[in-house]
Amino acid sequence: MISAAIVGGTGYTGIELIRLLSAHPKVSIDLLTSRSEAGTRADEIFPSLRGISDLVFSDLGDETLSALQKCDVVFFATPHGVAMKQAAALTQAGVKVIDLAADFRLQSLADFEHWYQQTHSCPELLKTAVYGLPELNRDKLAEAFIVGNPGCYPTTAILGLKPIIDKQNKQAIRLIESRIVIDAKSGVSGAGRQASLALNYAETTDNFKAYGIGGHRHLPEIEQGIEQLLDSQFSQQVRFLPHLVPMIRGMFSSIHIALTEAGTGIDWQQEFEDSYAGEAFIDVLPHGVYPDTRSVRASNRLRIAIHQDNERGELTVLVVQDNLVKGAAGQAVQNMNVMFAFDETLGLNAAPIVP
């Protein structure tokens, strides 16, 4: 058994971490923190936890920080900028850190400061952080002490592009044109649990809108994934546009790509199937079968479908996931499993919820 703590356990990713880790056979949740709910039992805030967790939230004071240093792993389900202030003390104490915010995602300090409007407090520690996509970074995660859990949109984008960029690198010729269009939609829970006029029932129900039209902070994370994680030998120009849809949870990213003449000669369905063969949480659907968000709800699964139109020279990649699970808390648990040499699927095999 390993000892885990969750800092910031009152948001949607925090409750998902509690739900998943409470059922994990190798983990004991020994500490929950919340500045706003200190002294309150978790099951008072989330009645779904009655009979599952009787833990009481603690404030993030000196005594709590000392207790965190005795844990094996600390999850930060906090706003951007919190984890980087605590990470050095924790890692020096031998604690492994998984941050679900953006503090350890972007290796470019300029990009981080531009998109998150704050200065990074531990740039040297950032250099040692591992980007938490197990399907790409499994070997590095096994040795990591700090993990930057990916953003929800970048998870769908990078995994949706991986077989294409890998094949293009292997062939050493352009198989796709330089421009990639990612048209993505997310449920309202992706915006967090805080009160906001734009997110209340009357504003979101029976409504559909785009946001981040002039630029979104997940764009540099997607570009980093293409350039560094996938090590693309060819420059790619990404147009990323997210949308808010009137559902609680779920994410659907449609990736539109123009094929070169050489690209039309590739059986992309087969490439995706081969690329993800053996990956427990990535399901490449059969030709002609297309995903919906309900098929992954509350699970750590990500489903992908391919539509190839050689007459038009077009390739469409359809990717769905639960933004709170594979897009956040579930992926964090998957990363933890790799970091502690557990079976990667441990605690994550629950089937999607339908309806």
Short mmCIF file of all heavy atoms in Angstrom, two decimals, residues 102-155:
data_model
loop_
_atom_site.label_atom_id
_atom_site.label_comp_id
_atom_site.label_asym_id
_atom_site.label_seq_id
_atom_site.Cartn_x
_atom_site.Cartn_y
_atom_site.Cartn_z
N ALA A 102 -1.48 23.28 -14.61
CA ALA A 102 -0.55 23.47 -15.72
C ALA A 102 0.88 23.78 -15.31
O ALA A 102 1.73 24.04 -16.16
CB ALA A 102 -1.05 24.60 -16.61
N ASP A 103 1.19 23.73 -14.01
CA ASP A 103 2.49 24.19 -13.54
C ASP A 103 3.66 23.44 -14.16
O ASP A 103 4.75 24.01 -14.33
CB ASP A 103 2.58 24.05 -12.02
CG ASP A 103 1.58 24.94 -11.29
OD1 ASP A 103 0.62 25.41 -11.93
OD2 ASP A 103 1.74 25.16 -10.08
N PHE A 104 3.46 22.16 -14.49
CA PHE A 104 4.57 21.35 -15.00
C PHE A 104 4.28 20.74 -16.37
O PHE A 104 4.86 19.73 -16.74
CB PHE A 104 4.93 20.26 -13.98
CG PHE A 104 5.41 20.83 -12.67
CD1 PHE A 104 4.57 20.91 -11.57
CD2 PHE A 104 6.70 21.33 -12.55
CE1 PHE A 104 5.00 21.45 -10.37
CE2 PHE A 104 7.15 21.87 -11.35
CZ PHE A 104 6.30 21.93 -10.25
N ARG A 105 3.39 21.37 -17.12
CA ARG A 105 3.08 20.88 -18.47
C ARG A 105 4.00 21.47 -19.53
O ARG A 105 4.55 20.76 -20.37
CB ARG A 105 1.63 21.20 -18.83
CG ARG A 105 0.58 20.45 -18.04
CD ARG A 105 -0.80 20.96 -18.41
NE ARG A 105 -1.84 20.40 -17.58
CZ ARG A 105 -3.09 20.85 -17.52
NH1 ARG A 105 -3.45 21.88 -18.28
NH2 ARG A 105 -3.97 20.28 -16.74
N LEU A 106 4.12 22.79 -19.52
CA LEU A 106 4.86 23.49 -20.57
C LEU A 106 6.32 23.66 -20.17
O LEU A 106 6.63 24.23 -19.12
CB LEU A 106 4.23 24.86 -20.84
CG LEU A 106 2.81 24.86 -21.40
CD1 LEU A 106 2.30 26.29 -21.49
CD2 LEU A 106 2.77 24.20 -22.77
N GLN A 107 7.22 23.23 -21.05
CA GLN A 107 8.64 23.40 -20.78
C GLN A 107 9.13 24.80 -21.14
O GLN A 107 10.18 25.24 -20.65
CB GLN A 107 9.45 22.35 -21.54
CG GLN A 107 9.37 20.95 -20.95
CD GLN A 107 9.98 20.88 -19.56
OE1 GLN A 107 11.04 21.45 -19.30
NE2 GLN A 107 9.30 20.18 -18.65
N SER A 108 8.39 25.50 -21.95
CA SER A 108 8.74 26.88 -22.31
C SER A 108 8.24 27.83 -21.24
O SER A 108 7.03 27.99 -21.05
CB SER A 108 8.15 27.25 -23.67
OG SER A 108 8.25 28.65 -23.89
N LEU A 109 9.17 28.51 -20.56
CA LEU A 109 8.78 29.47 -19.53
C LEU A 109 8.04 30.65 -20.15
O LEU A 109 7.11 31.20 -19.57
CB LEU A 109 10.02 29.97 -18.78
CG LEU A 109 10.70 28.95 -17.88
CD1 LEU A 109 11.99 29.53 -17.30
CD2 LEU A 109 9.78 28.49 -16.75
N ALA A 110 8.46 31.04 -21.35
CA ALA A 110 7.79 32.16 -22.03
C ALA A 110 6.34 31.82 -22.32
O ALA A 110 5.44 32.64 -22.13
CB ALA A 110 8.54 32.51 -23.31
N ASP A 111 6.09 30.59 -22.80
CA ASP A 111 4.72 30.17 -23.07
C ASP A 111 3.90 30.12 -21.78
O ASP A 111 2.74 30.56 -21.74
CB ASP A 111 4.69 28.80 -23.75
CG ASP A 111 5.02 28.88 -25.23
OD1 ASP A 111 4.96 29.98 -25.80
OD2 ASP A 111 5.32 27.83 -25.82
N PHE A 112 4.51 29.57 -20.72
CA PHE A 112 3.78 29.48 -19.45
C PHE A 112 3.40 30.87 -18.96
O PHE A 112 2.25 31.12 -18.55
CB PHE A 112 4.63 28.75 -18.41
CG PHE A 112 3.96 28.66 -17.07
CD1 PHE A 112 3.01 27.68 -16.82
CD2 PHE A 112 4.26 29.57 -16.06
CE1 PHE A 112 2.37 27.61 -15.58
CE2 PHE A 112 3.63 29.50 -14.82
CZ PHE A 112 2.69 28.52 -14.59
N GLU A 113 4.35 31.78 -18.97
CA GLU A 113 4.09 33.12 -18.45
C GLU A 113 3.08 33.87 -19.31
O GLU A 113 2.26 34.62 -18.80
CB GLU A 113 5.41 33.89 -18.35
CG GLU A 113 6.33 33.33 -17.27
CD GLU A 113 7.70 33.98 -17.24
OE1 GLU A 113 7.91 34.98 -17.98
OE2 GLU A 113 8.57 33.52 -16.47
N HIS A 114 3.12 33.64 -20.63
CA HIS A 114 2.18 34.32 -21.52
C HIS A 114 0.76 33.80 -21.31
O HIS A 114 -0.19 34.60 -21.16
CB HIS A 114 2.59 34.11 -22.97
CG HIS A 114 1.57 34.58 -23.96
ND1 HIS A 114 1.34 35.92 -24.21
CD2 HIS A 114 0.69 33.92 -24.76
CE1 HIS A 114 0.38 36.06 -25.10
NE2 HIS A 114 -0.03 34.85 -25.46
N TRP A 115 0.58 32.49 -21.28
CA TRP A 115 -0.76 31.91 -21.26
C TRP A 115 -1.36 31.83 -19.87
O TRP A 115 -2.59 31.83 -19.71
CB TRP A 115 -0.75 30.53 -21.91
CG TRP A 115 -0.54 30.61 -23.39
CD1 TRP A 115 0.63 30.41 -24.07
CD2 TRP A 115 -1.51 30.95 -24.38
NE1 TRP A 115 0.44 30.60 -25.41
CE2 TRP A 115 -0.87 30.93 -25.63
CE3 TRP A 115 -2.87 31.28 -24.33
CZ2 TRP A 115 -1.53 31.21 -26.82
CZ3 TRP A 115 -3.54 31.55 -25.51
CH2 TRP A 115 -2.87 31.52 -26.74
N TYR A 116 -0.52 31.76 -18.83
CA TYR A 116 -1.05 31.63 -17.47
C TYR A 116 -0.82 32.87 -16.61
O TYR A 116 -1.18 32.88 -15.44
CB TYR A 116 -0.48 30.37 -16.80
CG TYR A 116 -0.98 29.12 -17.49
CD1 TYR A 116 -0.25 28.51 -18.50
CD2 TYR A 116 -2.22 28.58 -17.18
CE1 TYR A 116 -0.74 27.39 -19.17
CE2 TYR A 116 -2.71 27.46 -17.83
CZ TYR A 116 -1.97 26.87 -18.83
OH TYR A 116 -2.45 25.77 -19.50
N GLN A 117 -0.19 33.87 -17.19
CA GLN A 117 -0.07 35.19 -16.56
C GLN A 117 0.57 35.13 -15.17
O GLN A 117 0.13 35.80 -14.24
CB GLN A 117 -1.44 35.87 -16.49
CG GLN A 117 -2.10 36.13 -17.83
CD GLN A 117 -1.30 37.12 -18.68
OE1 GLN A 117 -1.14 38.26 -18.32
NE2 GLN A 117 -0.80 36.65 -19.82
N GLN A 118 1.62 34.32 -15.04
CA GLN A 118 2.37 34.27 -13.79
C GLN A 118 3.78 33.76 -14.06
O GLN A 118 4.02 33.08 -15.07
CB GLN A 118 1.68 33.41 -12.74
CG GLN A 118 1.32 32.01 -13.19
CD GLN A 118 0.50 31.27 -12.14
OE1 GLN A 118 0.96 31.00 -11.04
NE2 GLN A 118 -0.75 30.94 -12.48
N THR A 119 4.69 34.11 -13.20
CA THR A 119 6.08 33.68 -13.34
C THR A 119 6.25 32.32 -12.67
O THR A 119 5.74 32.10 -11.56
CB THR A 119 7.03 34.70 -12.68
OG1 THR A 119 6.85 35.96 -13.32
CG2 THR A 119 8.48 34.26 -12.82
N HIS A 120 6.97 31.42 -13.32
CA HIS A 120 7.19 30.10 -12.75
C HIS A 120 8.16 30.21 -11.58
O HIS A 120 9.23 30.81 -11.70
CB HIS A 120 7.74 29.14 -13.80
CG HIS A 120 7.40 27.71 -13.52
ND1 HIS A 120 8.00 26.99 -12.50
CD2 HIS A 120 6.50 26.87 -14.09
CE1 HIS A 120 7.49 25.76 -12.48
NE2 HIS A 120 6.58 25.66 -13.43
N SER A 121 7.79 29.62 -10.45
CA SER A 121 8.58 29.78 -9.22
C SER A 121 9.70 28.75 -9.08
O SER A 121 10.56 28.90 -8.21
CB SER A 121 7.67 29.72 -8.00
OG SER A 121 7.03 28.46 -7.91
N CYS A 122 9.70 27.69 -9.91
CA CYS A 122 10.77 26.68 -9.80
C CYS A 122 11.16 26.17 -11.18
O CYS A 122 10.93 24.99 -11.50
CB CYS A 122 10.36 25.54 -8.88
SG CYS A 122 8.78 24.76 -9.29
N PRO A 123 11.75 27.04 -12.02
CA PRO A 123 12.10 26.63 -13.39
C PRO A 123 13.08 25.47 -13.46
O PRO A 123 13.02 24.67 -14.40
CB PRO A 123 12.68 27.90 -14.00
CG PRO A 123 13.05 28.77 -12.84
CD PRO A 123 12.09 28.45 -11.76
N GLU A 124 13.98 25.36 -12.48
CA GLU A 124 14.93 24.25 -12.50
C GLU A 124 14.22 22.92 -12.26
O GLU A 124 14.56 21.90 -12.86
CB GLU A 124 16.03 24.47 -11.46
CG GLU A 124 16.95 25.62 -11.78
CD GLU A 124 17.62 25.46 -13.15
OE1 GLU A 124 18.11 24.34 -13.44
OE2 GLU A 124 17.65 26.43 -13.92
N LEU A 125 13.22 22.95 -11.38
CA LEU A 125 12.45 21.74 -11.11
C LEU A 125 11.59 21.38 -12.32
O LEU A 125 11.37 20.20 -12.60
CB LEU A 125 11.59 21.96 -9.88
CG LEU A 125 11.13 20.73 -9.09
CD1 LEU A 125 12.31 19.89 -8.64
CD2 LEU A 125 10.30 21.16 -7.90
N LEU A 126 11.11 22.39 -13.01
CA LEU A 126 10.31 22.15 -14.22
C LEU A 126 11.06 21.31 -15.23
O LEU A 126 10.46 20.46 -15.91
CB LEU A 126 9.90 23.49 -14.83
CG LEU A 126 9.19 23.46 -16.18
CD1 LEU A 126 7.84 22.74 -16.07
CD2 LEU A 126 9.00 24.87 -16.72
N LYS A 127 12.37 21.51 -15.33
CA LYS A 127 13.17 20.78 -16.31
C LYS A 127 13.16 19.27 -16.05
O LYS A 127 13.37 18.47 -16.96
CB LYS A 127 14.61 21.29 -16.30
CG LYS A 127 14.77 22.72 -16.77
CD LYS A 127 16.22 23.17 -16.66
CE LYS A 127 16.38 24.63 -17.05
NZ LYS A 127 17.79 25.10 -16.90
N THR A 128 12.92 18.89 -14.80
CA THR A 128 12.91 17.47 -14.45
C THR A 128 11.52 16.84 -14.55
O THR A 128 11.38 15.63 -14.40
CB THR A 128 13.42 17.26 -13.01
OG1 THR A 128 12.43 17.76 -12.07
CG2 THR A 128 14.72 18.00 -12.78
N ALA A 129 10.49 17.69 -14.79
CA ALA A 129 9.11 17.19 -14.82
C ALA A 129 8.87 16.36 -16.08
O ALA A 129 9.42 16.63 -17.15
CB ALA A 129 8.13 18.36 -14.77
N VAL A 130 8.02 15.35 -15.94
CA VAL A 130 7.65 14.47 -17.06
C VAL A 130 6.20 14.75 -17.43
O VAL A 130 5.33 14.84 -16.56
CB VAL A 130 7.83 12.99 -16.68
CG1 VAL A 130 7.33 12.08 -17.80
CG2 VAL A 130 9.30 12.70 -16.38
N TYR A 131 5.95 14.90 -18.72
CA TYR A 131 4.60 15.10 -19.21
C TYR A 131 3.85 13.78 -19.12
O TYR A 131 4.28 12.75 -19.64
CB TYR A 131 4.64 15.60 -20.65
CG TYR A 131 3.33 16.10 -21.20
CD1 TYR A 131 2.78 17.30 -20.76
CD2 TYR A 131 2.65 15.37 -22.18
CE1 TYR A 131 1.59 17.77 -21.27
CE2 TYR A 131 1.45 15.84 -22.69
CZ TYR A 131 0.93 17.04 -22.24
OH TYR A 131 -0.27 17.49 -22.75
N GLY A 132 2.68 13.82 -18.45
CA GLY A 132 2.01 12.58 -18.05
C GLY A 132 1.08 11.95 -19.07
O GLY A 132 -0.10 11.74 -18.75
N LEU A 133 1.58 11.61 -20.23
CA LEU A 133 0.83 10.77 -21.18
C LEU A 133 1.50 9.40 -21.20
O LEU A 133 2.52 9.21 -21.86
CB LEU A 133 0.86 11.39 -22.59
CG LEU A 133 -0.31 12.27 -23.01
CD1 LEU A 133 -0.15 12.69 -24.47
CD2 LEU A 133 -1.65 11.58 -22.82
N PRO A 134 0.95 8.42 -20.49
CA PRO A 134 1.60 7.12 -20.41
C PRO A 134 1.84 6.47 -21.77
O PRO A 134 2.84 5.77 -21.96
CB PRO A 134 0.62 6.29 -19.57
CG PRO A 134 -0.12 7.30 -18.76
CD PRO A 134 -0.26 8.50 -19.65
N GLU A 135 0.93 6.69 -22.71
CA GLU A 135 1.08 6.06 -24.03
C GLU A 135 2.29 6.60 -24.79
O GLU A 135 2.73 5.98 -25.75
CB GLU A 135 -0.20 6.28 -24.84
CG GLU A 135 -1.42 5.54 -24.31
CD GLU A 135 -2.12 6.22 -23.14
OE1 GLU A 135 -1.74 7.38 -22.82
OE2 GLU A 135 -3.02 5.62 -22.55
N LEU A 136 2.84 7.73 -24.36
CA LEU A 136 4.02 8.29 -25.00
C LEU A 136 5.24 8.29 -24.09
O LEU A 136 6.37 8.18 -24.56
CB LEU A 136 3.75 9.74 -25.45
CG LEU A 136 3.14 9.94 -26.82
CD1 LEU A 136 1.68 9.50 -26.85
CD2 LEU A 136 3.24 11.41 -27.23
N ASN A 137 5.01 8.44 -22.77
CA ASN A 137 6.13 8.67 -21.85
C ASN A 137 6.25 7.62 -20.77
O ASN A 137 6.74 7.90 -19.67
CB ASN A 137 5.95 10.05 -21.18
CG ASN A 137 6.70 11.14 -21.91
OD1 ASN A 137 7.57 10.87 -22.74
ND2 ASN A 137 6.38 12.38 -21.61
N ARG A 138 5.85 6.42 -21.07
CA ARG A 138 5.81 5.36 -20.04
C ARG A 138 7.16 5.16 -19.36
O ARG A 138 7.25 5.06 -18.13
CB ARG A 138 5.32 4.07 -20.69
CG ARG A 138 4.80 3.03 -19.75
CD ARG A 138 4.07 1.93 -20.50
NE ARG A 138 2.67 2.24 -20.69
CZ ARG A 138 2.08 2.32 -21.90
NH1 ARG A 138 2.78 2.16 -23.00
NH2 ARG A 138 0.79 2.59 -21.97
N ASP A 139 8.23 5.11 -20.13
CA ASP A 139 9.56 4.85 -19.57
C ASP A 139 10.01 6.00 -18.66
O ASP A 139 10.57 5.77 -17.58
CB ASP A 139 10.58 4.63 -20.68
CG ASP A 139 10.35 3.33 -21.44
OD1 ASP A 139 9.61 2.46 -20.93
OD2 ASP A 139 10.89 3.18 -22.55
N LYS A 140 9.76 7.23 -19.08
CA LYS A 140 10.16 8.38 -18.27
C LYS A 140 9.31 8.48 -17.00
O LYS A 140 9.80 8.87 -15.94
CB LYS A 140 10.05 9.66 -19.08
CG LYS A 140 11.07 9.77 -20.21
CD LYS A 140 10.92 11.08 -20.96
CE LYS A 140 11.97 11.18 -22.08
NZ LYS A 140 11.83 12.44 -22.84
N LEU A 141 8.04 8.15 -17.12
CA LEU A 141 7.16 8.20 -15.95
C LEU A 141 7.61 7.23 -14.86
O LEU A 141 7.44 7.50 -13.67
CB LEU A 141 5.72 7.88 -16.36
CG LEU A 141 4.96 8.98 -17.09
CD1 LEU A 141 3.68 8.44 -17.72
CD2 LEU A 141 4.62 10.11 -16.12
N ALA A 142 8.17 6.12 -15.26
CA ALA A 142 8.60 5.11 -14.29
C ALA A 142 9.70 5.64 -13.37
O ALA A 142 9.87 5.15 -12.25
CB ALA A 142 9.10 3.86 -15.02
N GLU A 143 10.42 6.68 -13.81
CA GLU A 143 11.51 7.26 -13.02
C GLU A 143 11.17 8.64 -12.48
O GLU A 143 11.98 9.27 -11.81
CB GLU A 143 12.78 7.36 -13.88
CG GLU A 143 13.21 6.06 -14.54
CD GLU A 143 13.60 5.00 -13.52
OE1 GLU A 143 14.11 5.38 -12.43
OE2 GLU A 143 13.39 3.80 -13.77
N ALA A 144 9.96 9.13 -12.75
CA ALA A 144 9.63 10.53 -12.47
C ALA A 144 9.30 10.78 -11.00
O ALA A 144 8.73 9.93 -10.31
CB ALA A 144 8.44 10.95 -13.33
N PHE A 145 9.64 11.99 -10.54
CA PHE A 145 9.21 12.48 -9.25
C PHE A 145 8.19 13.60 -9.38
O PHE A 145 7.44 13.87 -8.44
CB PHE A 145 10.41 12.95 -8.41
CG PHE A 145 10.91 11.89 -7.48
CD1 PHE A 145 11.82 10.94 -7.91
CD2 PHE A 145 10.45 11.81 -6.17
CE1 PHE A 145 12.27 9.95 -7.06
CE2 PHE A 145 10.89 10.82 -5.31
CZ PHE A 145 11.80 9.88 -5.75
N ILE A 146 8.17 14.28 -10.53
CA ILE A 146 7.18 15.31 -10.78
C ILE A 146 6.53 15.05 -12.13
O ILE A 146 7.23 14.89 -13.14
CB ILE A 146 7.79 16.72 -10.78
CG1 ILE A 146 8.41 17.03 -9.43
CG2 ILE A 146 6.74 17.77 -11.13
CD1 ILE A 146 9.00 18.41 -9.36
N VAL A 147 5.22 15.00 -12.14
CA VAL A 147 4.47 14.75 -13.38
C VAL A 147 3.50 15.91 -13.61
O VAL A 147 2.74 16.28 -12.72
CB VAL A 147 3.71 13.41 -13.32
CG1 VAL A 147 2.75 13.28 -14.49
CG2 VAL A 147 4.69 12.26 -13.31
N GLY A 148 3.55 16.45 -14.81
CA GLY A 148 2.56 17.42 -15.24
C GLY A 148 1.45 16.68 -15.96
O GLY A 148 1.63 16.21 -17.09
N ASN A 149 0.32 16.52 -15.30
CA ASN A 149 -0.80 15.81 -15.92
C ASN A 149 -1.31 16.64 -17.10
O ASN A 149 -1.53 17.84 -16.97
CB ASN A 149 -1.92 15.61 -14.90
CG ASN A 149 -2.66 14.32 -15.07
OD1 ASN A 149 -2.06 13.25 -15.00
ND2 ASN A 149 -3.96 14.39 -15.31
N PRO A 150 -1.51 16.03 -18.26
CA PRO A 150 -1.89 16.80 -19.45
C PRO A 150 -3.25 17.48 -19.32
O PRO A 150 -4.11 17.04 -18.54
CB PRO A 150 -1.94 15.74 -20.56
CG PRO A 150 -1.06 14.65 -20.08
CD PRO A 150 -1.25 14.62 -18.59
N GLY A 151 -3.44 18.52 -20.09
CA GLY A 151 -4.76 19.12 -20.21
C GLY A 151 -5.69 18.16 -20.93
O GLY A 151 -5.26 17.25 -21.64
N CYS A 152 -7.00 18.37 -20.74
CA CYS A 152 -7.97 17.46 -21.34
C CYS A 152 -7.96 17.54 -22.87
O CYS A 152 -7.89 16.51 -23.55
CB CYS A 152 -9.37 17.75 -20.79
SG CYS A 152 -9.83 19.49 -20.79
N TYR A 153 -8.03 18.73 -23.42
CA TYR A 153 -8.00 18.86 -24.88
C TYR A 153 -6.70 18.32 -25.48
O TYR A 153 -6.73 17.57 -26.48
CB TYR A 153 -8.18 20.32 -25.29
CG TYR A 153 -9.58 20.86 -25.17
CD1 TYR A 153 -9.84 21.99 -24.39
CD2 TYR A 153 -10.65 20.30 -25.85
CE1 TYR A 153 -11.12 22.53 -24.29
CE2 TYR A 153 -11.93 20.83 -25.75
CZ TYR A 153 -12.16 21.94 -24.97
OH TYR A 153 -13.42 22.47 -24.89
N PRO A 154 -5.52 18.67 -24.93
CA PRO A 154 -4.29 18.12 -25.49
C PRO A 154 -4.21 16.59 -25.46
O PRO A 154 -3.60 15.99 -26.35
CB PRO A 154 -3.20 18.75 -24.61
CG PRO A 154 -3.78 20.05 -24.20
CD PRO A 154 -5.24 19.74 -23.94
N THR A 155 -4.84 15.96 -24.46
CA THR A 155 -4.85 14.50 -24.44
C THR A 155 -5.50 13.94 -25.71
O THR A 155 -4.95 13.04 -26.36
CB THR A 155 -5.59 13.98 -23.19
OG1 THR A 155 -4.87 14.37 -22.03
CG2 THR A 155 -5.72 12.47 -23.21
#
